Structure formats: structure tokens, C-alpha cells
Amino acid sequence: MLPSTLFLVVGGLAVLVGAIVQSSIGFGVGVVATPVVALLFPNLMPGALLVAATVTPMFTLVREVRHADLSGLGWAFAGRLAGTPLGVWVVAVLSVRGMGLAAGSLVLVALAVTAYSGSVPRNPATLAAAGMFAGLGGTATAIGGPPIALLYQRESGPRVRGTLAIFFTLGTLISVITLVALHQMPERQLVAGFALTPFVAAGFFAAGPLRRYLDGGRTRTAVLALVAVSATALIVRNLI
């Protein structure tokens, strides 16, 4: 069944804006588009945006994969593999609303710690923990970027984007495959997700000016601001 015209217009616009943000900062398509799609088209969540979130970083990979922090990604992926089944369990059994409230609150706490201390240590333990929360949150709500982004907030724009692009491409693909294998992703969600891919491509190519602006020493501010917005949006969405 093909998605409705309303979904393509509203959901497509949300994904377009999210893709512009993600192509500039390193994450954002889930942050921007999830509240819109979840509110208006809840039967298409989380699958439609997980598919879009799998495609979005592939464009960045082609451009900036050489800047990625490959050593840190191993620990983050280990955590992601542990967190993904938890996210599937949440989708199948628990209240997604409750999980969304908890995830948003934890991200705000982490952000407050970052603002107080000025940095978050990046080591095997924090990378694995961030990967686990990204896997859990990304699978259940399609918002998994903030935990990893906090750890790389002080890196250059290309390094942040390249690292997150690898993590999101493989991580969201794992989430999609796991949900499909366990029959937790209806066909309509997959079809809707693929229908959003042209908007993803348009967002990437439209992001050039913003990407160059943020690379002039403004990436960290943008990352922290988007983390705050994403956590707040997740909490508000689950309170409504």
C-alpha cells in the first residue's frame, strides 16, 4: 500500500529539513522528523523513519568517511548490538511513551553534566554505554543520535559527521533488520520509509552552505543545541 499524499508532503518536508540538519551536524533526521511523523502518522513509526535514517548517512559516508574515528566505533557498536534487542523488546512489549520519557530525561541529564564539566570522557566504557542507549532509543523511537554526539562534541565537523555516519548507517540497518526479522515492522512502514529517500537526497545536497558555516568553529554549539532540542522534543511528544 502506497503512502498517502499528506504523508509525502508533511513527512517528506520534515525529513528534508532533518536531512539538511544531519548532513551539516552529523545527526538530526530523527530529531526533526520523529515528532511530526509520530504525531500525525503513528502507524508508520518507527519503521518509516528508521529506513530514512539508514539512507541519510550514506551520503555523508561518500564525502567524509576518511575523517571517521574508527577506533572508537568498535566499542560503540558493541553497545549498539546490546541496546538494539532492548529497543525491539520495548516496541513489542513496553510502553514506548514511558521509554521515550526515560530516554529524553537521561539525555538531558547527560547534557547538564556536559555543560557543567565542559567535556565528557571518551573511553571504552562511555562509548559502549552511549552505543547501548543509541541502539535502544534508535530502535524504539528512531532518535538515537544524542548519546554518541555528546562524546564527539569537541571534534571537528568532518570528524563528527564521518564518525556518526558510519555508526548510523550500520546501526540503523541492524535495527531495521532486527525489527523485520522479529515481525515488528509492518510492510507499510518499509514502503513509507523508502518513499522518503528522495527527500533525504535533496536535504543532503541543500546542506552545503550550512555545513560550511558550522565548520567555522560552530559545530560544538550546534551539536549541544540539537541534543537539547531532541531530548526536549522526545519528552514533550510522550507527554501529549
Side-chain angles (χ1 to χ4, degrees):
M1 178 177 167
L2 295 176
S4 67
T5 301
L6 180 62
F7 171 76
L8 291 177
V9 173
V10 178
L13 180 60
V15 166
L16 172 66
V17 175
I20 292 174
V21 173
Q22 179 154 333
S23 299
S24 305
I25 298 176
F27 72 107
V29 68
V31 172
V32 174
T34 292
V36 176
V37 176
L39 180 63
L40 298 178
F41 312 97
N43 64 324
L44 297 179
M45 288 292 295
L49 288 188
L50 278 174
V51 172
T54 303
V55 176
T56 305
M58 292 181 181
F59 290 93
T60 301
L61 276 179
V62 175
R63 179 187 177 93
E64 295 178 316
V65 66
R66 66 186 183 279
H67 299 291
D69 176 24
L70 298 179
S71 61
L73 281 171
W75 292 104
F77 275 123
R80 175 97 195 197
L81 289 173
T84 296
L86 293 176
V88 174
W89 181 62
V90 167
V91 171
V93 179
L94 296 184
S95 164
V96 176
R97 178 182 181 183
M99 205 290 296
L101 289 171
S105 300
L106 286 173
V107 170
L108 285 180
V109 169
L111 182 63
V113 171
T114 298
Y116 176 76
S117 66
S119 66
V120 177
R122 192 166 70 239
N123 53 47
T126 57
L127 283 163
M132 184 187 72
F133 282 111
L136 197 163
T139 302
T141 69
I143 297 180
I148 296 293
L150 282 175
L151 295 184
Y152 285 92
Q153 59 179 286
R154 292 189 176 276
E155 299 291 345
S156 66
R159 190 165 180 82
V160 173
R161 292 190 296 268
T163 301
L164 294 183
I166 295 178
F167 182 78
F168 289 142
T169 298
L170 297 180
T172 52
L173 186 60
I174 291 171
S175 295
V176 170
I177 291 173
T178 304
L179 286 168
V180 170
L182 296 179
H183 308 290
Q184 295 300 322
M185 185 180 291
E187 182 181 350
R188 65 177 181 276
Q189 295 185 9
L190 283 171
V191 173
F194 285 118
L196 294 174
T197 55
F199 298 95
V200 168
F204 174 80
F205 290 112
L210 180 58
R211 187 162 49 235
R212 289 189 292 272
Y213 174 78
L214 293 177
D215 284 352
R218 303 176 181 90
T219 298
R220 180 174 183 262
T221 300
V223 167
L224 293 180
L226 190 57
V227 168
V229 169
S230 68
T232 303
L234 192 58
I235 291 172
V236 171
R237 178 170 68 85
N238 286 283
L239 286 175
I240 297 176

